[in-house]
Amino acid sequence: MASNENSGSEPNNGTASSSSTSKDGETPTQIQPFRMPTVEEVRAQDVWNNCVVRSVASGVMGGGLGLFMGMFLGALDNPIMQDEMTGRQQFIYTAKQMGRRSWSSCKTFAIMGLVFSAAECVTEKARAKHDITNTVVAGCVTGGTMSAKGD
């Protein structure tokens, strides 16, 4: 009955914990000291916190995403008169459709990325808070801008 009492929830003076670490072969992790950022890291962070830099980077990345999505979706389009077209005509049609769709998607995603990032950054700087409200405001501004564009 004495062995049942020790196998319960009561610790065994640290012998159970030390035997479990020796069985696993793991050593306890040490806490690393805090490292101050270098001057270059602080400058890079200041550059990235600039709203213009952040917006342009988001616009470029959005344009790249739109380019690839347009190429992918353009390749999936089938011509209406597919049965009457030769293989060469279908290839030319698909290539033109991929080009048109990728350029259109590139512009749309670039504008969306630029407007969303700019609106979020400006809202964050004006409110001096980093929370979900900035994202909601930026989404509303972006949606309004895209619908007012008239595409």
Side-chain angles (χ1 to χ4, degrees):
M1 190 115 165
S3 63
N4 287 343
E5 291 175 11
N6 285 340
S7 64
S9 62
E10 295 179 21
N12 203 3
N13 294 332
T15 57
S17 64
S18 64
S19 64
S20 66
T21 56
S22 63
K23 286 180 185 176
D24 295 339
E26 296 178 13
T27 59
T29 57
Q30 294 180 347
I31 298 174
Q32 298 295 324
F34 181 74
R35 183 183 67 84
M36 294 296 292
T38 63
V39 175
E40 292 84 15
E41 291 172 338
V42 171
R43 285 183 186 155
Q45 201 171 29
D46 288 342
V47 168
W48 187 247
N49 284 337
N50 187 347
C51 289
V52 174
V53 172
R54 207 186 277 185
S55 300
V56 169
S58 295
V60 168
M61 287 189 279
L65 175 69
L67 186 72
F68 285 113
M69 284 193 56
M71 286 176 59
F72 176 72
L73 295 175
L76 296 177
D77 278 348
N78 288 329
I80 297 171
M81 303 176 67
Q82 183 176 1
D83 298 333
E84 301 171 8
M85 296 173 80
T86 65
R88 179 184 167 106
Q89 289 173 333
Q90 287 180 10
F91 179 77
I92 291 171
Y93 175 83
T94 302
K96 286 181 181 178
Q97 192 66 21
M98 282 173 62
R100 276 188 231 115
R101 178 112 15 129
S102 65
W103 181 245
S104 174
S105 293
C106 178
K107 292 188 298 185
T108 302
F109 275 85
I111 291 170
M112 266 196 284
L114 184 112
V115 171
F116 182 85
S117 182
E120 185 178 37
C121 188
V122 168
T123 305
E124 185 177 321
K125 299 274 184 190
R127 295 182 64 233
K129 289 184 182 177
H130 182 73
D131 58 0
I132 192 86
T133 307
N134 301 333
T135 307
V136 171
V137 169
C140 291
V141 169
T142 304
T145 303
M146 296 308 289
S147 67
K149 183 180 168 192
D151 252 333

